[in-house]
Amino acid sequence: MGGDLNINHLEFLGHGALWTLGLSAMALIGGGLFGFVLALARIAPARALRWASGGYIQLIQGTPLLVILFLGYFGLAAIGFDLSPLVAAGASLTIYNAAYFGEIWRGCIQSVPKPQWEAAEGLGLSRTQRMFKVILPQAIRIATPPTVGFTVQIIKNTSLASVIGFVELARAGQIINNSLFKPFLIYAIIALIYFAMCYPISRLSRRLERRMALGRAQPIPA
Amino acid sequence: MAINLDFPTVWARWPSFLDGATLTLELALMATVFGGTLGTLCAVGRRSRNSTIASLSGAYVEAIRNTPFLVQIFLVYFGLASLGLKLSAFTVAAMALTINVGAYTTEIMRAGFDAIPRGQIEAAEGLALSRFQVYWHIVLLPAMEKVYPSLTSQFVLMMLASSVCSQISAEELTAVANFIQSDTYRAFETYITIAVIYVVLSLVLRAGFWGLGLVLFPRLRRLGTPL
């Protein structure tokens, strides 16, 4: 125990930070794809689809990510499905984030004005054509600021993958702390690295939001 | 491959689950009260004319919102220990949750304050209400009413995030589950059980906040319309 923080420790932390980014990318892509399907199912004409996707979202949003991670790693292993920490973390984050993306994007799709649906229908477009050619291109504009904002949550949430032994930034910090025992210094450095990753994205999301608000502002009649 | 599940072994530990769930609720309620108060004060601070107070509150919000709760709780836990303060894991967990949810409350309440029309305050001053009366009846309560739905979802999310407190061995629901699964070797059944308990807890909290909303904002109850 003891000793000073040296370049090797920082390199180890850098390696962990890269894994944090990699895990975030996995969660963003996996959660995004699955969340998109959920968002479409939430507003599907078939009632069974709407109920199933709604139930899934309620269930996942009522469960902590930590419990989903424990279930995916220790729980599945106990009944005979051994997953590596990477697979378990990636799958759990996908399952968790999809529920939030599904709900955020459902709102965005539904906030496209109703006449757009009606006009597209009047032009004789099929439901699929209406969705992909008329509604989604407009919904993407509305969805950009909240999606960028939620990316910050995704990056922060990957820190929980440390509890199943996946060596990302938080776990790398714990390991170094176990040998140096300078918890305050090390966790402060970890916090700074997370801040450096998240703050620019938070700023971007706020800028996008402000731009959207300006675009929506009604001109004042003379 | 046959999967054999044995829920009764796990459910036999129901008194421990109950203790854990109670502690989780206690943590959530403490953080709601203290974090809500802290956040409201900081929201006032962020709009203050005193630029030092305004930028301090801003820095607090940005620092908390852009770092993971797991790292925050470790910093509070080890930070207090290095200052020589020996506090129980429960106290540290409640403090960390308060600091965390306080930052989110600041942002939400600030949006609420921004939504109060200036004319309302001028009208109240014109009616010779005292500074306190203006702040309470014209600014604080209506602002809270406007953002009440976002505020309560944030508090429910915070209750779920309190599972992270198991990492500093505060004996809340997740910590209880970790102990039971290492004792019974029934990890799958244990975590399924607490997942269901968490879903129930979040429904209970939502119902509680809905009821509290009816008490706090009588306009909604009497007229059936929000602000």
Side-chain angles (χ1 to χ4, degrees), chain A residues 58-67 70-71 74-76 78-81 96 100 152-153 155-157 159-160 162-163 170 174 177 181 183-184 187-188 190-192 194-195 198-199 202 206, chain B residues 1 3-5 46 62-71 74-75 78-79 82 104 107 156-157 160-161 163-164 166-167 174 178 181 185-189 191-192 194-195 198-199 202-203 206:
Chain A
Q58 284 297 321
L59 206 66
I60 298 296
Q61 292 198 346
T63 315
L65 174 58
L66 195 62
V67 174
F70 280 144
L71 203 53
F74 300 114
L76 287 185
I79 57 169
F81 301 96
Y96 181 79
Y100 287 86
V152 176
Q153 304 292 328
I155 296 177
K156 290 190 296 175
N157 279 338
S159 68
L160 294 184
S162 62
V163 298
Q174 283 171 345
N177 181 43
F181 211 71
F184 198 71
Y187 288 117
I190 302 290
L192 265 178
Y194 274 112
F195 186 82
C198 295
Y199 186 62
S202 295
R206 218 166 315 149
Chain B
M1 186 181 66
I3 298 168
N4 83 75
L5 293 180
R46 266 200 104 164
E62 293 301 341
I64 297 297
R65 297 211 325 162
N66 288 301
T67 50
F69 179 56
L70 183 70
V71 176
F74 282 145
L75 268 177
F78 293 115
S82 68
Y104 290 91
E107 272 305 90
V156 172
L157 278 178
L160 297 175
S163 62
V164 175
S166 60
Q167 296 302 304
T174 306
N178 289 343
Q181 72 92 12
Y185 297 101
R186 291 279 168 197
F188 186 77
E189 294 89 330
Y191 290 125
I192 285 282
I194 64 161
Y198 272 114
V199 171
S202 60
L203 291 177
R206 268 178 208 291

Side-chain angles (χ1 to χ4, degrees), chain A residues 50-62:
Chain A
R50 288 204 303 271
W51 281 14
S53 52
Y56 174 86
I57 289 172
Q58 284 297 321
L59 206 66
I60 298 296
Q61 292 198 346

Side-chain angles (χ1 to χ4, degrees), chain B residues 1-217:
Chain B
M1 186 181 66
I3 298 168
N4 83 75
L5 293 180
D6 180 11
F7 279 99
T9 311
V10 170
W11 291 345
R13 307 293 187 96
W14 67 266
S16 307
F17 283 120
L18 191 64
D19 286 347
T22 314
L23 208 70
T24 289
L25 266 188
E26 273 174 31
L27 275 176
L29 290 182
M30 283 177 75
T32 299
V33 173
F34 295 129
T37 313
L38 176 69
T40 308
L41 289 176
C42 288
V44 174
R46 266 200 104 164
R47 291 159 48 87
S48 159
R49 267 184 227 104
N50 183 331
S51 65
T52 318
I53 295 178
S55 47
L56 268 180
S57 315
Y60 160 66
V61 170
E62 293 301 341
I64 297 297
R65 297 211 325 162
N66 288 301
T67 50
F69 179 56
L70 183 70
V71 176
Q72 290 164 14
I73 200 169
F74 282 145
L75 268 177
V76 175
Y77 188 61
F78 293 115
L80 288 175
S82 68
L83 290 176
L85 276 171
K86 286 214 174 94
L87 299 171
S88 72
F90 178 81
T91 317
V92 174
M95 285 172 74
L97 277 171
T98 298
I99 294 172
N100 182 270
V101 82
Y104 290 91
T105 308
T106 304
E107 272 305 90
I108 297 174
M109 283 306 289
R110 191 176 65 131
F113 287 144
D114 284 345
I116 302 292
R118 181 92 202 107
Q120 295 263 325
I121 300 166
E122 284 159 6
E125 278 163 358
L127 289 168
L129 295 188
S130 72
R131 251 187 93 116
F132 174 79
Q133 283 175 317
V134 171
Y135 225 92
W136 186 258
H137 295 287
I138 313 299
V139 179
L140 187 60
L141 283 182
M144 216 158 130
E145 188 172 348
K146 278 187 210 279
V147 296
Y148 194 67
S150 348
L151 215 48
T152 54
S153 334
Q154 192 63 53
F155 290 140
V156 172
L157 278 178
M158 179 268 300
M159 184 275 286
L160 297 175
S162 75
S163 62
V164 175
C165 301
S166 60
Q167 296 302 304
I168 58 160
S169 60
E171 289 297 308
E172 46 67 73
L173 190 53
T174 306
V176 166
N178 289 343
F179 175 76
I180 291 177
Q181 72 92 12
S182 66
D183 208 28
T184 58
Y185 297 101
R186 291 279 168 197
F188 186 77
E189 294 89 330
T190 310
Y191 290 125
I192 285 282
T193 306
I194 64 161
V196 172
I197 299 178
Y198 272 114
V199 171
V200 172
L201 282 181
S202 60
L203 291 177
V204 167
L205 265 189
R206 268 178 208 291
F209 281 127
W210 178 78
L212 185 67
L214 289 186
V215 175
L216 281 179
F217 312 115

Side-chain angles (χ1 to χ4, degrees), chain A residues 15 22 33 35-36 42 49 69 84-85 88 90 93 100 115 155-156 170 176 179-180 189 193 197-198 205 218:
Chain A
H15 206 73
L33 288 175
F36 178 63
R42 282 281 278 148
L49 270 180
L69 277 163
S84 73
L93 286 167
Y100 287 86
I155 296 177
K156 290 190 296 175
I176 292 177
S179 74
L180 296 183
I189 294 174
I193 300 176
M197 290 180 191
C198 295
S205 136
Q218 294 294 315

